[in-house]
Amino acid sequence: QVQLVESGGGLVQPGGSLRLSCAASGRTFSTYYRGWFRQAPGKEREFVAAINWNDGFTFYKDSVNGRFTISRDNADNTVYLQMNSLKPEDTAVYYCAASSKLYASPRSAADYDYWGQGTQVTVSS
């Protein structure tokens, strides 16, 4: 089992920045991908970003590419999501996730085994 705990959400004005953190504990050696997803009210959960835990290769949703950066700290088993130039449409609950599947599709929520509890991000003036 892997336990994931997110932190760093909050209220920010348009154009502002936030950094989300996701700390993992438990059988973290079994994870191949770590990802961030988000869910806005009345909408389905959607992919935001992911990172291959072994080689650091990253994946992004088109609308956040260039504004968001996913990174990892192998020593602390923590993944970060740096969010810059935030827009009102980025408002959502953000979830971190971990996949134990070697050949997972990193953009697919169905390929992730473990999920955090979520952290609210609100972008509003």
Side-chain angles (χ1 to χ4, degrees):
Q1 291 292 327
V2 175
Q3 294 77 43
L4 303 173
V5 179
E6 303 105 332
S7 60
L11 172 64
V12 64
Q13 293 186 343
S17 298
L18 281 175
R19 189 176 83 152
L20 305 182
S21 301
C22 176
S25 60
R27 296 173 60 90
T28 57
F29 60 86
S30 66
T31 59
Y32 292 98
Y33 290 93
R34 299 275 291 276
W36 289 95
F37 292 76
R38 67 187 182 188
Q39 187 167 18
K43 295 188 177 181
E44 293 186 353
R45 189 171 298 190
E46 64 176 6
F47 168 78
V48 176
I51 188 166
N52 183 301
W53 198 251
N54 292 323
D55 61 22
F57 198 83
T58 56
F59 308 81
Y60 293 97
K61 176 181 174 63
D62 286 347
S63 63
V64 309
N65 198 16
R67 299 189 297 124
F68 291 9
T69 302
I70 188 170
S71 61
R72 75 195 197 282
D73 183 330
N74 294 63
D76 288 342
N77 288 313
T78 299
V79 65
Y80 302 96
L81 186 67
Q82 177 67 44
M83 304 185 295
N84 299 328
S85 302
L86 282 161
K87 304 176 181 180
E89 50 265 41
D90 294 318
T91 295
V93 177
Y94 282 69
Y95 298 90
C96 74
S99 175
S100 62
K101 300 176 182 178
L102 178 59
Y103 299 109
S105 172
R107 300 173 186 271
S108 173
D111 277 357
Y112 287 82
D113 311 282
Y114 307 102
W115 293 84
Q117 80 286 354
T119 185
Q120 177 70 47
V121 171
T122 302
V123 185
S124 175
S125 55

